[in-house]
């Protein structure tokens, strides 16, 4: 198998689906000859032309609304939000329209669309271009939320998201774009709602999302040197959430930590921690569930401040060590 | 100046059917008003009494395969596009036989089979969706046009401006149809606009703008037919502003303190139904007696709708969690 980057995997999934299905098209800002702010659609306008790789004005509400209207009438649009932060200016369309149309219409309509949203900090782009707002969208019934952590997952999950008959918010992490993994050349699908055990372990269950999966893997290697065996579970999709895999792991390890990049207060990790606390795994817990999340600040520009605003490998290592000592 | 009614082409519609539809709309909304007052309908509603000419004329200029998007004040649009008033009344009464199984209510009726992509509770929310539906028509060469209804208030929302620009640059087959009924809830157009005619905003997006007397069925029909022909030929969108008046309050609990009774009386003298009735009689198309029979037939239809709705069951509790996601 060949290795490709996360960015290439996303482009490959879109291109392969678009070759098969004429109803799939992309729309967004600067996605044409420019190739998108992060180069994800580079080369696509040359293959598919400007009708199916539609460069739009800077009008997030209209882009989202146009995607919804197209989806409602039989297309399967992929909308690229230039930065996931810009979801704020498309919020009415996503929350009041896309998420609710099916229910409000008594199940008569569907809105099969994907919103690709590059998120996360670490690029020095500061407060308005570095957020992780996935919990907002995960809160809204009618939307699905996907957060791939590596190139293999990105390709398979994007294929599943495009095939899904609902609006799916697909969170890409900017720092993952250049990371590589083994990715099959053929098109494949990873079902939404299926967690992945990224590393098996017996001492503590670490539920990680997005970029935190990579950091957790590095932390787990360090902790293994101390004899602490960490099991890393990547839910891969927040909605639907595969809580079963998480609960069954916690029952085996007796400890649960949740790590996410978003601001800790009200982040989706709080939902995961609550679900574990409410589950049958509660009786198996040897220590309180802990959460690691971003500090309650806007993301700053200055490099060291930015690094300290979100959990890093050393924070994960320290938290897990403390947890093991307390038990 | 105007062509005799008998010699006009109404896009295959019987002119007396248009008269019937105007009565069906008025009597539907008057019945809804009465039922709200008696506490027989739950929630809220927005009535279009006095605005019957705009939906009937605009939809008469469309083909059955053409589509519309509607607004919170949408009963008239729905009826004019061919909806069954029984299923509408059932929807307002929260019954399972309604258009949306009772889950949507007055503000969310959609009738996809007749090309009604849905009413909308968010002012301006449907405008970009209409653009997306028109995009499907172009991309899949389906040759339908989309008529997008909205009110004067919606033209101060960002979605209006973003959507008009997008439709213009892509030459999409949309007719942006503004029913300027002089008030956005309590906000008068005199207070909320510096311009006399909202249609002037078309200039900013490079499309034709037309002002029309919204209480004149023929005039509205003519201008919409012209915009439809332009859209269908691939020449792009138009903006039409139809000046009309909402006889009732904004919603069920409006004391109408922001306007005078004299103003209301002056507008009621321009009653679109009475005006059309006079022309039908003057030009010998129908006698007063025949027209009274048509009105009586519309009244019976509304009585049938109420009876159908009252005798329909409510949705079961099992249905609460259905239709959130498509499979």
């Amino acid at each position: 198998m060949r290795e490709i980057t996360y960015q290439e995997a996303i482009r490959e999934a879109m291109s392969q689906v678009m070759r098969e299905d004429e109803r799939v098209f992309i729309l967004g800002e600067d996605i044409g000859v420019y190739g998108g702010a992060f180069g994800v659609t580079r080369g696509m306008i040359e293959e598919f032309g400007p009708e199916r790789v539609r460069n739009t004005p800077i009008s997030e509400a209209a882009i989202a609304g146009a995607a919804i209207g197209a989806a409602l009438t039989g297309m399967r649009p992929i909308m690229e939000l230039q930065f996931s932060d810009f979801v704020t200016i498309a919020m009415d369309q996503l929350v009041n329209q896309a998420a609710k149309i099916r229910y409000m219409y008594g199940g008569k309509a569907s809105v099969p669309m994907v919103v690709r949203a590059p998120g996360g900090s670490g690029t020095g782009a500061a407060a308005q271009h570095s957020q992780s707002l996935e919990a907002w969208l995960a809160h809204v019934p009618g939307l699905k939320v996907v957060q791939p952590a590596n190139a293999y997952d990105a390709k398979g999950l994007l294929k599943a998201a495009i095939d899904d008959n609902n609006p799916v918010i697909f969170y890409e992490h900017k720092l993952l774009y250049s990371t590589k993994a083994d990715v099959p050349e053929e098109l494949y699908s990873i079902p939404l709602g299926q967690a992945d055990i990224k590393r098996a372990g017996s001492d503590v269950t670490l539920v990680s999302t997005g970029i935190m999966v990579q950091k957790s893997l590095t932390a787990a290697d360090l902790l293994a040197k101390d004899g602490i065996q960490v099991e890393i579970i990547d839910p891969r999709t927040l909605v639907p959430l595969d809580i079963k895999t998480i609960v069954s792991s916690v029952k085996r390890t007796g400890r649960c930590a949740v790590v996410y990049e978003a601001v800790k207060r009200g982040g989706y990790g709080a939902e995961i921690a609550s679900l574990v606390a409410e589950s049958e795994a509660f009786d198996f817990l040897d220590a309180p569930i802990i959460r690691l999340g971003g500090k309650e600040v806007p993301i700053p520009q200055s490099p060291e401040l930015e690094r300290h605003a979100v959990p890093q490998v050393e924070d994960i290592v320290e938290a897990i060590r403390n947890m093991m000592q307390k038990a | 100046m105007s062509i005799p009614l008998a010699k006009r082409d109404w896009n295959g519609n019987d002119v007396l059917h248009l008269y019937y539809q105007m009565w069906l709309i008025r009597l539907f909304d008057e019945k809804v008003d009465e039922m709200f007052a008696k506490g027989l309908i739950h929630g809220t509603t927005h009535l279009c009494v006095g605005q019957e000419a705009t939906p009937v004329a605009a939809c008469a200029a469309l083909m059955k395969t053409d589509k519309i998007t509607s607004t919170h004040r949408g009963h008239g649009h729905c009826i004019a596009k061919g909806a069954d008033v029984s299923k509408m009344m059932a929807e307002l009464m929260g019954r399972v036989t309604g258009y949306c199984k009772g889950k949507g209510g007055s503000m969310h009726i959609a009738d996809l089979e007749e090309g009604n992509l849905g009413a909308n509770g968010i002012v301006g929310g449907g405008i970009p969706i209409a653009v997306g539906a028109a995009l499907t028509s172009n991309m899949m060469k389906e040759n339908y046009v989309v008529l997008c209804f909205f009110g004067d208030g919606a033209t101060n929302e960002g979605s209006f401006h973003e959507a008009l620009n997008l439709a213009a640059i892509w030459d999409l087959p949309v007719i942006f149809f503004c029913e300027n009924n002089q008030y956005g809830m309590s906000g008068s157009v005199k207070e909320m606009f510096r311009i006399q005619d909202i249609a002037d905003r078309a200039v900013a997006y490079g499309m034709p703008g037309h002002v029309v007397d919204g209480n004149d069925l023929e005039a509205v029909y003519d201008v919409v037919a012209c915009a439809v022909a332009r859209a269908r030929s691939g020449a792009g969108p138009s903006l039409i502003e139809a000046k009309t008046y909402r006889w009732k309050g904004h919603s069920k609990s409006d004391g109408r303190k922001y306007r005078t009774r004299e103003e209301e009386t002056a507008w009621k003298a321009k009653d679109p139904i009475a005006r059309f009735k006079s022309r039908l009689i003057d030009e010998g198309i129908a006698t007063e007696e025949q027209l009274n029979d048509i009105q009586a037939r519309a009244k019976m239809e509304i009585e049938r709708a109420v009876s159908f709705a009252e005798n329909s069951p409510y949705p079961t509790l099992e249905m609460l969690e259905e239709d959130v996601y498509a499979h």
Side-chain angles (χ1 to χ4, degrees), chain A residues 62 73 97 103 105 108 143 166, chain B residues 99 110 117 120 136 320 325-326:
Chain A
T73 48
Q97 315 292 341
Y103 192 84
Y105 294 4
K108 278 186 310 194
L143 299 179
N166 298 283
Chain B
Y99 270 107
L117 298 178
N120 209 306
T136 300
L320 172 65
Y325 290 99

Side-chain angles (χ1 to χ4, degrees), chain B residues 127-142:
Chain B
I127 308 177
I129 296 175
V131 173
L135 183 58
T136 300
S137 179
N138 263 19
M139 289 184 75
M140 303 312 278
K141 306 199 167 25
E142 295 189 16

Side-chain angles (χ1 to χ4, degrees), chain A residues 18 24-33 41 44-45 48-57 63 66-67 70 75 77-80, chain B residues 131-132 134-136 138-140 166-167 169-172:
Chain A
M18 283 172 71
V24 181
F25 70 100
I26 323 174
L27 69 171
E29 295 156 8
D30 308 298
I31 65 166
V33 288
T41 57
M44 290 186 73
I45 194 166
F48 298 102
E51 276 281 303
R52 296 182 70 199
V53 180
R54 302 191 80 97
N55 228 11
T56 66
I63 301 166
M75 304 297 280
I78 303 170
M79 159 185 176
E80 178 173 305
Chain B
V131 173
L135 183 58
T136 300
N138 263 19
M139 289 184 75
M140 303 312 278
L166 195 61
I169 62 165
W170 288 348
D171 291 325
L172 294 179

